[in-house]
């Protein structure tokens, strides 16, 4: 440390850069390591409040799992059947009596701002549930006291708290996918980034260490001097990074992420995270310091006299062979029409192949760039291009430290797109439209009118089921759908033969259900006053292809709204009818429509056809966490670029000054610096786009979903790569100062 602070401002700036880089990296590392802790804490509290049934108990309960808009709503009705001790869940002092209710703070806020939602929680709210009984601050949960006669399907209550996790934020299989993706897009670039920070000013440090070795310092002590500087910088940076993460956690926990909120205490780093940051990062710096200083310690003369450098090893590029072989093989099988999805082999081969491909991009970029620079230098007619290529050929590693993080970022972006596409396929139906079915008996006339104007709703359809006498005999039944031909066309793939002036029967040639109803059969529908209206099944058909399940299904009757009054003048009863809203299937639109329905009819039961509210909420959480991972990867990539650019600006001052004294103009030197950065970046990003898209495709192919080739996501990655190249070229210009100081080469 005395040598460091005595080496002048240049050494001090280098130490501060190393410290700042380590601090930023540790902050990102703490964020990634805290995500499983946040999820585990949430799951533990939710599991601790799960009621456990008993055969005999003085308390009975009935649990309802509903939804309020796009968010899960859980209500636990409890009733006392006799005297005795009552088990109490976490977060409350005692269970509510009949007519009382305890609700979460978020649910209490909804009840206060939306009077129509009071029907969700019958009784008087007497208190709030504490954080110990809630998974997150935005949890919608209620304990409602009632009487045993009001709970026909009740069960005896033994105690609260299950042995196994229930109602997890993310299921185990999806959580493993999330961990793997975050490892690829955050932890691997972070490892490279921390290694870059530990090797800042590697050339000047090597010359200084070689000088110490030549004046009599032993090999072991020389390595210790270098390692001590790196370890101290990494440790100080780790402490600063942990403090920075604590501040970030306090702020973000109160704001929350889309679909995920947590208490600040949940995100505070545990002992394992602290040890990884305070011990693991300095240990990595020590290993990198030992490796980078070995040449200066063993051969100081070659370092001081700038001897010929050894060409980069080509072994690292061989990692691309098995990686691309596996993911390329799956892509070829898909093109040949074979389905390689399923099985345990692909679940192991694809992740390993992706990791090998990413490692091959990192370790194979140096020999590939050096080989390409040698070829270009041999045919270059331009002085700036020749200088840049010769410099890249001699020392490709210095430029690669600048671009490696950005290359991994683009590669990880492609993989993240594949994960989102696959999860989107399994979390919702693949149809381009989404239907929401609500029972008419749960809606007032005003609510029906307002629901049809919810933002995002394209059209709406009313349907009624034919009357069933419930005498035990099986009889054919049909649904009467009140809609126009325009509604049919907007909700199906195609329809032919539709007319708005007559009652017609829907027929889907692909449907295997139905067929019991014959033209001429009469079907009764219940009308007001307990009477029945008979409708004759017509022989005229509308041939269509629908997205199933749907309100438009084969054998249903299509009745234009103008003809409904003639069929049932008194009006069909609401108890047999339902209102179906139709919107696009975009997840953001689905959540917006569900939230709109919840604000207008909070007590109505909503059936989002083909999807599950819990799956929709889980997809929102995954999108948020992957978004955090991409932001962290972007921060790491940009930070690695900026730190490396600043380091190169300091490291190259002597060479720039020497070229300037030889007559090279400032414009020529700037072009040289830009080309030195752009060449490996173009090679790396081009390889990252191709291999990343192949890796994404192999993941989609083995996932078994309908989408195998993400053509829509490829242009996004290409545009991002071009933007990265342009930004890197502009950022490389300041590396050559306007005025060159010859003092920088005095010692050389």
């Amino acid at each position: 440390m005395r040598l460091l602070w005595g080496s002048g401002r240049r050494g001090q700036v280098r130490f501060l850069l190393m410290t700042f880089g380590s601090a930023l990296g540790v902050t990102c590392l703490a964020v990634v390591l805290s995500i499983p802790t946040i999820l585990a804490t949430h799951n533990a509290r939710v599991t601790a409040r799960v009621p456990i049934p008993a055969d005999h108990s003085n308390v009975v309960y009935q649990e309802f799992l509903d939804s309020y808009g796009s968010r899960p709503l859980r209500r636990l009705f409890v009733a006392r059947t006799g005297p005795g001790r009552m088990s109490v869940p976490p977060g409350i002092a005692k269970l509510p009596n009949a007519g009382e209710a305890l609700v979460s703070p978020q649910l209490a806020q909804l009840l206060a701002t939306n009077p129509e939602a009071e029907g969700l929680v019958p009784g008087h709210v007497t208190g709030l549930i504490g954080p110990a009984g809630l998974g997150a601050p935005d949890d919608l949960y209620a304990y409602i006291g009632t009487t045993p006669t009001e709970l026909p399907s009740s069960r005896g209550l033994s105690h609260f708290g299950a042995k196994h996790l229930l109602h997890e934020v993310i299921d185990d299989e999806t959580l493993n996918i999330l961990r793997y993706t975050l490892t690829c897009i955050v932890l691997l670039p972070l490892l490279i980034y921390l290694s870059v920070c530990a090797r800042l000013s590697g050339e000047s440090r090597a010359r200084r260490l070689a000088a110490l070795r030549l004046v009599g310092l032993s090999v072991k002590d020389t390595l210790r001097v270098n390692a001590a500087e790196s370890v101290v910088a990494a440790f100080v940076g780790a402490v600063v990074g942990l403090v920075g993460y604590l501040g970030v956690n306090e702020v973000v926990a109160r704001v929350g992420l889309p679909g995920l909120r947590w208490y600040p205490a949940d995100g505070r780093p545990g002992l394992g995270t602290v040890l990884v940051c305070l011990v693991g990062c300095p240990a990595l710096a020590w290993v990198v310091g030992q490796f980078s200083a070995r040449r200066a310690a063993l051969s100081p003369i070659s370092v001081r006299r700038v001897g010929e450098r050894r060409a980069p090893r080509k072994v690292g590029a061989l990692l691309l062979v098995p990686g691309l072989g596996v993911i390329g093989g799956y892509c070829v099988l898909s093109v040949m029409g074979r389905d390689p999805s399923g099985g345990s082999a692909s679940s192991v081969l694809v992740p390993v192949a992706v990791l090998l491909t990413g490692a091959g991009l990192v370790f194979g970029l140096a020999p590939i760039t050096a080989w390409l620079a040698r070829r270009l230098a041999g045919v270059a007619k331009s002085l700036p291009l020749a200088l840049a290529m010769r410099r890249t050929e001699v020392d490709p590693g210095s430029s690669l430290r600048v671009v490696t993080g950005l290359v991994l970022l683009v590669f990880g972006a492609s993989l993240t797109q594949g994960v989102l596409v696959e999860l989107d396929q399994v979390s919702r139906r693949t149809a381009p439209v989404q239907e929401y079915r609500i029972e008419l008996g749960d809606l007032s006339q005003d609510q029906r009118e307002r629901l049809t104007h919810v933002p995002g709703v394209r059209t709406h359809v009313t349907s009624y089921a034919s009357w069933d006498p419930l005498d035990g005999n099986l009889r054919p039944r049909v649904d009467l759908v009140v809609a126009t031909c325009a509604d049919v066309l907007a909700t199906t793939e195609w329809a032919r033969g539709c007319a708005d002036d007559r009652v017609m029967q829907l027929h889907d040639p692909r449907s295997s259900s139905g067929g019991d109803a014959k033209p001429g059969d009469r079907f009764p529908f219940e009308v007001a006053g307990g009477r029945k209206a008979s409708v004759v099944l017509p022989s005229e058909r509308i041939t269509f292809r629908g997205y199933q399940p749907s309100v438009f299904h084969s054998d249903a009757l299509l009745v234009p709204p103008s003809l409904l009054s003639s069929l049932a003048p008194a009006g069909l009863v609401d108890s047999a009818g339902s209102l179906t809203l139709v919107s696009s299937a975009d997840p953001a639109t689905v959540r917006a429509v569900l939230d709109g329905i919840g604000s207008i009819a909070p007590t109505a039961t909503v059936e989002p056809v083909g999807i599950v509210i819990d799956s929709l909420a889980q997809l929102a959480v995954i999108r948020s966490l992957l978004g955090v991972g991409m932001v962290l990867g972007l921060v790491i990539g940009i930070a690695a670029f900026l730190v490396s650019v600043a380091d190169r600006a300091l490291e190259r001052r002597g060479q720039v000054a020497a070229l300037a004294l030889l007559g090279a103009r400032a414009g020529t030197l700037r072009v040289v610096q830009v080309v030195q950065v752009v060449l490996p970046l173009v090679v790396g990003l081009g390889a990252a786009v191709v291999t990343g898209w192949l890796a994404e495709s192999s993941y989609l192919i083995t996932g078994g979903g309908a989408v195998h080739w993400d053509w829509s996501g490829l242009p996004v990655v290409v545009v991002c790569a071009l933007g990265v190249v342009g930004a890197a070229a502009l950022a490389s210009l300041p590396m050559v100062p306007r005025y060159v100081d010859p003092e920088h080469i005095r010692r050389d």
Side-chain angles (χ1 to χ4, degrees):
M1 298 307 297
R2 289 171 60 188
L3 287 171
L4 170 65
W5 292 111
S7 61
R9 188 175 60 181
R10 181 175 179 177
Q12 297 169 10
V13 170
R14 180 180 69 243
F15 181 81
L16 292 177
L17 275 177
M18 294 170 62
T19 303
F20 166 76
S22 299
L24 184 60
V26 168
T27 301
C28 297
L29 178 62
V31 170
V32 176
L33 295 179
S34 297
I35 288 176
T37 303
I38 292 172
L39 298 179
T41 306
H42 179 285
N43 294 337
R45 284 199 300 266
V46 170
T47 304
R49 72 185 183 195
V50 173
I52 305 301
D55 295 333
H56 303 284
S57 175
N58 63 330
V59 179
V60 294
Y61 76 94
Q62 187 170 349
E63 190 173 14
F64 292 86
L65 306 180
D66 303 303
S67 64
Y68 182 89
S70 61
R71 299 162 59 186
L73 168 65
R74 290 179 168 83
R75 297 172 294 170
L76 186 70
F77 288 78
V78 294
R80 181 186 288 271
T81 59
R85 178 178 174 274
M86 300 172 60
S87 178
V88 180
I92 62 175
K94 66 173 185 176
L95 290 174
N97 298 319
E100 299 177 346
L102 300 173
V103 300
S104 63
Q106 187 69 26
L107 183 55
Q109 183 179 352
L110 290 177
L111 295 175
T113 56
N114 189 0
E116 295 179 342
E118 293 180 356
L120 293 172
V121 183
H124 177 62
V125 177
T126 59
L128 300 177
I129 304 173
L134 300 174
D138 61 344
D139 210 353
L140 300 181
Y141 201 87
Y143 296 98
I144 303 171
T146 185
T147 59
T149 57
E150 298 293 330
L151 301 177
S153 303
S154 62
R155 309 174 70 180
L157 177 63
S158 172
H159 62 279
F160 290 90
K163 294 182 180 179
H164 305 287
L165 290 179
L166 297 173
H167 309 308
E168 304 101 314
V169 182
I170 303 175
D171 60 77
D172 291 339
E173 182 178 356
T174 309
L175 185 59
N176 291 332
I177 297 174
L178 180 65
R179 288 169 178 161
Y180 169 74
T181 308
L182 289 178
T183 299
C184 293
I185 65 176
V186 179
L187 293 184
L188 287 181
L190 183 60
L191 182 65
I192 301 297
Y193 170 66
L194 292 175
S195 301
V196 168
C197 293
R199 296 184 62 185
L200 290 180
S201 298
E203 185 175 339
S204 60
R205 290 171 70 183
R207 291 175 61 81
R208 178 164 57 90
L209 293 173
L212 293 175
R213 180 77 178 89
L214 290 174
V215 297
L217 200 64
S218 66
V219 173
K220 183 181 295 185
D221 289 338
T222 302
L223 296 176
R224 286 176 177 175
V225 168
N226 185 62
E229 180 180 347
S230 301
V231 169
V232 171
F235 181 80
V236 175
V239 174
V240 175
L242 281 176
V243 174
Y245 166 74
L246 289 174
V248 171
N249 174 67
E250 295 294 325
V251 174
V252 178
R254 287 169 171 79
V255 177
L257 299 172
L260 178 64
R261 291 192 61 189
W262 64 94
Y263 294 101
D266 298 347
R268 288 168 189 158
L271 180 60
T273 301
V274 173
L275 289 178
V276 169
C277 295
L278 296 183
V279 177
C281 292
L284 175 64
W286 181 83
V287 172
V288 174
Q290 292 283 316
F291 174 78
S292 60
R294 186 164 299 277
R295 179 168 174 264
L298 298 178
S299 182
I301 293 294
S302 63
V303 173
R304 290 301 301 177
R305 294 183 177 179
V306 194
E308 183 178 353
R309 299 176 184 268
R310 187 175 58 182
R313 297 179 179 178
K314 302 178 181 179
V315 178
L318 297 178
L319 295 175
L320 290 170
V321 176
L324 290 177
V326 172
I327 62 179
Y330 280 116
C331 293
V332 171
L333 288 176
S334 178
V335 172
M336 295 172 61
R338 300 183 181 180
D339 184 12
S341 62
S344 58
S346 60
S347 62
V348 175
L349 285 176
V350 172
V352 172
V354 171
L355 290 177
L356 288 176
T357 304
L361 286 176
V362 174
F363 296 111
L365 200 52
I368 294 174
T369 304
W371 175 84
L372 183 60
R374 187 182 310 114
R375 295 295 183 273
L376 291 176
V379 298
K381 303 298 182 181
S382 169
L383 175 62
L385 181 60
L387 284 175
M389 292 302 98
R390 289 303 182 190
R391 181 63 198 176
T392 303
E393 176 189 356
V394 172
D395 187 16
S398 61
S399 297
L400 296 182
R401 287 198 298 270
V402 179
V403 305
T404 300
L406 300 176
V407 170
L408 287 178
L409 175 63
V410 172
F411 179 76
S414 298
L415 182 63
T416 304
Q417 285 189 152
V419 173
L420 289 175
V421 170
E422 182 67 21
L423 292 175
D424 196 37
Q425 290 184 90
V426 300
S427 299
R428 66 176 179 90
R429 44 189 265 162
T430 57
V433 295
Q434 177 62 50
E435 298 181 11
Y436 316 84
R437 187 172 297 134
I438 312 168
E439 298 299 323
L440 289 178
D442 296 338
L443 302 173
S444 64
Q445 191 62 40
D446 177 65
Q447 287 175 327
R448 299 180 197 178
E449 180 65 24
R450 293 166 59 191
L451 285 174
T452 59
H453 295 89
V454 170
V457 173
R458 293 180 177 177
T459 186
H460 62 280
V461 176
T462 306
S463 61
Y464 298 88
S466 62
W467 179 70
D468 186 356
L470 299 177
D471 55 2
N473 297 322
L474 296 177
R475 294 181 177 87
R477 299 187 65 188
V478 298
D479 288 340
L480 186 152
V481 182
V482 183
T484 63
C485 293
D487 296 331
V488 177
L489 292 174
T491 317
T492 60
E493 292 187 49
W494 52 264
R496 301 189 185 99
C498 184
D500 283 330
D501 58 351
R502 62 180 70 96
V503 178
M504 305 182 73
Q505 183 184 16
L506 293 169
H507 175 66
D508 188 347
R510 300 183 306 173
S511 176
S512 59
S513 61
D516 295 333
K518 306 297 182 183
D521 291 347
R522 290 182 173 271
F523 293 90
F525 288 85
E526 191 173 2
V527 298
R531 293 175 298 168
K532 309 295 183 296
S534 295
V535 178
V536 179
L537 190 67
S539 58
E540 294 179 288
R541 285 183 170 186
I542 301 172
T543 304
F544 78 105
R545 177 172 294 177
Y547 306 106
Q548 300 302 328
S550 171
V551 66
F552 296 105
H553 57 84
S554 195
D555 286 349
L557 285 172
L558 182 70
V559 178
S562 59
L563 300 180
L564 181 62
S565 59
S566 61
L567 293 177
L572 301 177
V573 296
D574 292 342
S575 59
S578 62
L579 174 66
T580 301
L581 306 177
V582 182
S583 75
S584 68
D586 176 72
T589 303
V590 172
R591 284 191 292 270
V593 172
L594 285 172
D595 289 337
I597 296 173
S599 63
I600 295 173
T603 58
T605 301
V606 183
E607 179 191 354
V609 179
I611 62 174
V612 182
I613 294 295
D614 286 343
S615 298
L616 192 66
Q618 177 174 278
L619 181 60
V621 174
I622 295 170
R623 284 181 177 275
S624 295
L625 294 179
L626 289 180
V628 170
M630 288 302 299
V631 170
L632 292 178
L634 180 62
V635 170
I636 293 169
I638 293 176
F641 178 79
L642 294 177
V643 169
S644 299
V645 164
D647 177 53
R648 279 170 57 87
L650 293 174
E651 195 83 347
R652 294 284 185 266
R653 288 188 303 179
Q655 299 170 3
V656 170
L659 290 173
L661 291 178
L662 289 174
R665 292 180 297 181
T668 300
L669 297 178
R670 289 192 178 94
V671 173
V672 171
Q673 296 296 338
V674 170
V675 173
Q676 282 184 242
V677 173
V678 168
L679 174 67
L681 192 58
V682 169
V683 174
L685 291 181
V689 169
V690 175
T691 58
W693 187 72
L694 290 176
E696 176 192 6
S697 300
S698 66
Y699 178 80
L700 293 174
I701 290 167
T702 56
V707 179
H708 285 185
W709 308 96
D710 183 21
W711 296 106
S712 61
L714 185 60
V716 177
V717 178
V718 173
V719 171
C720 292
L722 294 176
V724 168
V725 172
L730 292 176
S732 301
L733 293 176
M735 294 174 61
V736 178
R738 180 173 300 181
Y739 302 103
V740 178
D741 186 4
E743 176 66 18
H744 293 151
I745 61 172
R746 178 179 60 84
R747 294 180 180 178
D748 290 339

